[in-house]
Amino acid sequence: MSFYFQNGYLYCDQLKVKDIQSQVPESPFYLYSKQQITTNYNAYLEAIEGLNAIIGYAIKANNNLAILKHLQELGSSAVLVSGNELCIALKANFKPEKTILNGNGKTIAELTYAIQNQVLINIDSEFDLQHIQQATEKAKKQANVLLRVNPDIDPQVHPYVSTGIKDSKFGIQNNKLDWFLDSIKSSTFLNLVGIHCHLGSTIEQTQIFYDATVLMSKFVEIIRSRGFELKYLNIGGGLGIDYHKQGKNLPTPLELINSIRQILESLDISLIIEPGRSIIGNTSILVNRVIGTKSNGKKNFAVVDGSMAELIRPSLYNAYHHIDLIEPCRGQLKTFDIVGPVCESADFLAKDRPLASPIEGMGLAVWDVGAYCQVMSSNYNLKMRPPEYWVDGKQLIQIRKKECMEDYLKLFNI
Ligand SMILES: *Cc1c(COP(=O)(O)O)cnc(C)c1O
């Protein structure tokens, strides 16, 4: 692991986070390990050995351009959910023909842009199919499409990140399959190349992916028997990571792929897998400074400069992120809520955590913030989106500047 403790100090690869904090003018900031990104991607690469497969990194998890370029150079493809994500994927040099556009509300403009670039497109609904058709006419080009079926499998995760159960807003109604196949067949501009499902996120059992793949293989057989040459089986993303750090054994990419390998081989089909969190989640910490501590008689609060504006997962999903002081501390051990300065009671980074009472100015790290954190940051209370740095060998490099008030004021015509 790239983040570890030695003599009471937190390290990122070869550098002491405390030294980094003294060097960095801004606070809070995101700190990544470039090595950990490489390691996580390579775990997928090794897992797919012997299979025809596309590893499509889900850009929505983290779209820092330096990170995208690094993943692209390692051989990754990209998975998109908007036209702007296609724009940044092209900037990072991802090959559009191996890029997949998802979404339940793609606009005609986004679809036209995707078709012009030959991106693979998932069909999510009847209207989506019609919109894709309209976009092919605009772009005067064929579209390679996949059907997003709803596997109706409960991934046993937080409802906000569950996407493949029957009541989810994603995917086609499976009993309308014939309508979709007929519509595609009668259209000269649509070329069906695969099927897709995405169960949800933070999944902790390979059995759930296996069950979905078994179900999807039935769809592959039905669709092939109607004369379509399906090339891709896309099982989406969603593998969880170890946020809690209590020694739980989460499946590795290899275990995930091995659990479905035989099905893929017997179908003779290429796999598309769409990991986001499991590639980028554990590669970053948010480094905050303690502003002060207080008590209301019952509860102790450590107030830090980071908040729900920089890191909303705890407030949004009640998500657990591990926290640690980045340096030794002799303060009395107490139970703290770690909160930010934002005017909302939902503004917390962690609740009821044992922590040595910190001194003002000390560094406090929130772990595993690579996925769905910086990308969800906001300007609430006019906080500016934080900068990002990565450790590359022995070097600290800024990979994103801090947003500033000038950037913000530019949006007004006064
Ligand atoms: C969000 C999403 C992913 C990535 O999910 P992770 O949990 O980050 O791996 C993959 N595919 C689709 C369609 C998604 O919506």
Side-chain angles (χ1 to χ4, degrees), residues 70-222:
H70 179 53
L71 284 167
Q72 187 277 329
E73 281 162 14
L74 291 172
S76 181
S77 296
V79 169
L80 317 169
V81 291
S82 72
N84 285 344
E85 285 192 355
L86 172 54
C87 175
I88 203 161
L90 294 174
K91 282 238 182 318
N93 278 329
F94 285 104
K95 285 197 196 78
E97 326 80 72
K98 286 193 165 184
T99 297
I100 303 107
L101 178 63
N102 280 297
N104 66 322
K106 309 183 272 300
T107 65
I108 309 264
E110 287 173 316
L111 289 167
T112 310
Y113 181 35
I115 292 162
Q116 279 161 346
N117 284 285
Q118 312 245 277
V119 168
L120 299 167
I121 301 174
N122 281 331
I123 301 173
D124 186 84
S125 62
E126 288 91 332
F127 78 72
D128 199 37
L129 183 139
Q130 283 155 358
H131 291 178
I132 296 167
Q133 247 165 342
Q134 288 168 33
T136 56
E137 283 154 26
K138 277 196 157 181
K140 300 194 176 55
K141 257 191 185 164
Q142 274 215 333
N144 290 325
V145 293
L146 292 83
L147 261 183
R148 178 164 183 167
V149 303
N150 184 331
D152 191 17
I153 287 175
D154 181 357
Q156 298 169 25
V157 297
H158 190 283
Y160 292 3
V161 292
S162 171
T163 54
I165 55 170
K166 201 150 184 247
D167 285 344
S168 155
K169 69 171 181 173
F170 299 100
I172 67 163
Q173 209 182 322
N174 296 342
N175 58 19
K176 300 265 173 70
L177 183 67
D178 286 339
W179 181 88
F180 282 93
L181 295 180
D182 291 343
S183 303
I184 293 167
K185 207 160 231 173
S186 64
S187 156
T188 43
F189 276 119
L190 296 183
N191 182 24
L192 185 66
V193 296
I195 58 169
H196 172 249
C197 77
H198 174 66
L199 302 164
S201 203
T202 68
I203 300 171
E204 299 192 342
Q205 299 153 45
T206 56
Q207 182 70 34
I208 289 167
F209 290 99
Y210 174 81
D211 290 347
T213 310
V214 169
L215 200 130
M216 295 288 279
S217 68
K218 306 248 157 64
F219 279 98
V220 171
E221 279 159 7
I222 296 170

Side-chain angles (χ1 to χ4, degrees), residues 51-76:
L51 290 173
N52 266 328
I54 293 178
I55 303 167
Y57 167 65
I59 282 186
K60 73 172 195 264
N62 188 313
N63 58 36
N64 182 296
L65 191 52
I67 292 173
L68 297 185
K69 281 191 166 156
H70 179 53
L71 284 167
Q72 187 277 329
E73 281 162 14
L74 291 172
S76 181

